[in-house]
Amino acid sequence: MSKTKSNNARFIFITGGVVSSLGKGLASASLAAILQARGFKVRLRKLDPYLNVDPGTMSPYQHGEVFVTDDGTEADLDLGHYERFSAVPATKHDSITTGKIYSRVIEKERNGDYLGATIQVVPHVTNEIKEFILSGITDEDFVLCEIGGTVGDIEGQPYLESIRQVAYDLGRERTMFIHVTLLPFIPTAGELKTKPTQHSVKKLQEYGIQPDMLLCRSQIEIPQNEKKKLALFCNVREENVITAPDVKTIYEVPIVYSSEGMDTQVCRHFNIECKNKPDLRKWIDIVDTVKNPKGEVKIAVVGKYTALLEAYKSLNEAITHGGIANSFKVKVKWVNSEELTDQNADLYLKDVNAIVVPGGFGKRGTDGKLAGIKYAREHNIPFLGICFGMQLAVIETLRNVAGIKTANTTELDNGCEPVVGMMSDFTKDGKLGGTMRLGAYESCITGKDSHVSKIYKSEKISERHRHRYEVNKEYEKALKDSGMEIVAWSPDKTLPEIVEIPNHPWFVGVQFHPELKSKPFDPHPLFVSLIAAAIERGQKK
Ligand code: GLN
């Protein structure tokens, strides 16, 4: 294992204890943001102990949204938090799972790379994990590595052993362990309880890891005597017991952590002088806008995973960013597409000022999405269709305006009029057929007077994709005759990328996922424009 690969970067490992869902991803992203606000270059990584090779095949109900990076890695949704807070584009170097690690180890074993050795978790699996932690780093000051799951999980053990070894290899002056825990508040006793945290730290110590900082989620401010107690029993400096209180908006987290002294203590740990305060102005401005909006606008998202909003994490954030850019609060009405029909659409949608139909796979809930699209088209409600939402918008127009009743996607019906189908159906060599189009692809906006041309203010755009099916360009004319235009294409003009209805206040369908690139301080222009259109409609009503 080469030490030189990691240059001089310092490594901060973030583990979780007591319970899951404590917001370790958000905590890691927020720490990155405050270190950036001190002028440091950061990088964030996620190590997921589950056995899937990637979350691409997991149900969104199991693991929330699948985040896609520019280089086409299907990754955990925490990478979305990382990008939204740090603006550092994640790559395949930033997301690993046990499935990936084992695939590599087994491949090496089959190739005879281990020269006859018995392959074991320690050192072969742990070496592979260490290799991942240290790889692909250039001139970063800090690399933040979040370990998924909770300390004590069986799957997590090789990861804890690996980070212990990295600290041993690089020395404690280049490594830091932060443990995120929960202090439950017991109302009858009127007390915060530190015992679960003490146990969790003991568990961590069993693996040879002594945390340097505790980040304690708590409903209330942690009294100093409780901090003292935690410090003593967990062997952590008192100033390094940091309160992570519940906040009104997630964009307040970096400000709160910094005021708790987190960045100062991290710098102190690494012997870095930090006389100046971090420059947190952009976060202060965002929080100020979120807390003091000029008004409120309601928009509907018609999807099938509305029972688990984690499945639409980036979309929800991008909508919020669009609101922030317009100084408006956006209230999202989540409409279950399995309940929506042409007959009841009015009931669900008459009070909203924009409708979004997000990406999706498979038949369930499709009719409801089509009903939502039809309602938006016929009632002049601003509409954004994303990926599957765009494909369905094309189908809806061809069915209900062009009268092609069997128009459908071959994903749902092999015998249909294939207005949406696999790429191999339309491209000459068919090589891409059957595989996903993943990651960043360029498209050219050809519709000079189109809405999107004004929104993007650029002819060439690059957006992230995650789909298998494409709109069939053979239907360009039928669409145009029905009032829908293809206004952006893949550079070779084979694959439609954006459609819109020029004769509608705001009706846009995009084959890609704009929500994956939106940031609170750099909102995606499509969402800024959609929310502006929704506000305008609300004011006219
Ligand atoms: N199911 C569609 C496809 O594979 C759309 C995918 C999506 O919305 N991400 O093309």
Side-chain angles (χ1 to χ4, degrees), residues 497-508:
E497 292 276 4
I498 307 181
V499 295
E500 61 178 53
I501 297 181
N503 236 338
H504 183 286
W506 208 103
F507 191 106
V508 176

Side-chain angles (χ1 to χ4, degrees), residues 59 61 301-308 312 334-345 348-349 357-358 361-372 388 392:
S59 155
Y61 276 128
V301 174
V302 180
K304 71 174 171 182
Y305 303 117
T306 45
L308 181 77
Y312 298 119
W334 299 95
V335 177
N336 182 349
S337 56
E338 288 184 78
E339 287 168 15
L340 197 66
T341 61
D342 282 339
Q343 289 69 42
N344 67 17
Y348 282 91
L349 300 171
V357 174
F361 293 82
K363 185 149 184 48
R364 205 159 47 79
T366 308
D367 291 340
K369 289 179 185 175
L370 285 166
F388 201 36
L392 292 174

Side-chain angles (χ1 to χ4, degrees), residues 140-439:
E140 286 83 356
D141 299 301
F142 290 100
V143 180
L144 279 62
C145 297
E146 178 194 345
I147 316 294
T150 309
V151 166
D153 297 346
I154 291 178
E155 294 90 346
Q157 288 180 11
Y159 291 86
L160 297 179
E161 172 59 14
S162 303
I163 61 175
R164 184 197 65 75
Q165 288 187 16
V166 172
Y168 175 83
D169 291 342
L170 299 183
R172 294 309 305 275
E173 59 288 356
R174 278 186 58 198
T175 47
M176 180 174 191
F177 294 109
I178 299 181
H179 194 50
V180 184
T181 74
L182 173 74
L183 299 193
F185 180 72
I186 309 293
T188 44
E191 273 181 5
L192 281 177
K193 291 292 173 193
T194 64
K195 193 69 85 189
T197 299
Q198 294 180 43
H199 283 302
S200 180
V201 170
K202 285 276 173 297
K203 191 80 201 155
L204 208 50
Q205 287 166 340
E206 269 178 37
Y207 297 112
I209 294 174
Q210 167 60 53
D212 302 296
M213 178 179 278
L214 297 178
L215 184 61
C216 306
R217 290 295 309 269
S218 167
Q219 279 175 6
I220 58 165
E221 186 60 39
I222 306 174
Q224 203 54 39
N225 61 328
E226 297 298 326
K227 283 192 173 181
K228 245 193 186 82
K229 189 159 123 192
L230 274 171
L232 180 66
F233 291 137
C234 299
N235 207 20
V236 173
R237 292 166 73 134
E238 199 178 315
E239 321 79 273
N240 286 6
V241 180
I242 306 284
T243 313
D246 298 341
V247 284
K248 213 172 153 215
T249 149
I250 55 168
Y251 299 118
E252 204 172 352
V253 177
I255 303 169
V256 173
Y257 283 5
S258 186
S259 69
E260 274 280 314
M262 189 182 201
D263 45 324
T264 320
Q265 291 308 116
V266 168
C267 290
R268 188 174 289 173
H269 173 90
F270 289 110
N271 276 325
I272 301 171
E273 230 191 279
C274 63
K275 283 202 209 101
N276 300 334
K277 281 194 175 331
D279 180 2
L280 292 167
R281 262 171 304 176
K282 76 175 174 196
W283 298 105
I284 294 168
D285 288 348
I286 289 166
V287 171
D288 192 44
T289 313
V290 172
K291 288 190 174 171
N292 304 294
K294 281 195 220 145
E296 188 176 297
V297 65
K298 199 195 254 186
I299 79 167
V301 174
V302 180
K304 71 174 171 182
Y305 303 117
T306 45
L308 181 77
L309 299 185
E310 292 279 282
Y312 298 119
K313 191 88 216 167
S314 294
L315 175 62
N316 196 18
E317 291 302 309
I319 289 170
T320 307
H321 304 161
I324 293 172
N326 285 287
S327 298
F328 258 65
K329 180 178 164 64
V330 186
K331 204 162 184 296
V332 178
K333 179 171 186 177
W334 299 95
V335 177
N336 182 349
S337 56
E338 288 184 78
E339 287 168 15
L340 197 66
T341 61
D342 282 339
Q343 289 69 42
N344 67 17
D346 205 47
L347 200 67
Y348 282 91
L349 300 171
K350 69 165 181 274
D351 61 334
V352 303
N353 287 317
I355 296 173
V356 177
V357 174
F361 293 82
K363 185 149 184 48
R364 205 159 47 79
T366 308
D367 291 340
K369 289 179 185 175
L370 285 166
I373 295 166
K374 183 166 184 249
Y375 192 87
R377 182 176 57 75
E378 289 182 345
H379 292 79
N380 284 331
I381 301 174
F383 168 81
L384 176 63
I386 297 173
C387 206
F388 201 36
M390 175 257 206
Q391 297 170 356
L392 292 174
V394 166
I395 292 167
E396 194 279 321
T397 285
L398 288 176
R399 277 189 195 172
N400 298 332
V401 185
I404 308 174
K405 290 289 167 223
T406 55
N408 210 337
T409 161
T410 55
E411 178 177 357
L412 306 182
D413 176 5
N414 263 330
C416 67
E417 181 91 16
V419 304
V420 177
M422 285 255 208
M423 277 181 272
S424 56
D425 301 340
F426 325 132
T427 49
K428 271 173 251 101
D429 56 18
K431 262 193 210 144
L432 290 171
T435 58
M436 279 262 208
R437 187 143 76 106
L438 277 171

Side-chain angles (χ1 to χ4, degrees), residues 467-482:
H467 54 102
R468 219 167 253 124
Y469 297 84
E470 304 277 352
V471 170
N472 187 347
K473 69 171 181 160
E474 300 301 319
Y475 291 86
E476 185 182 8
K477 182 162 181 318
L479 280 171
K480 201 175 162 96
D481 294 345
S482 316

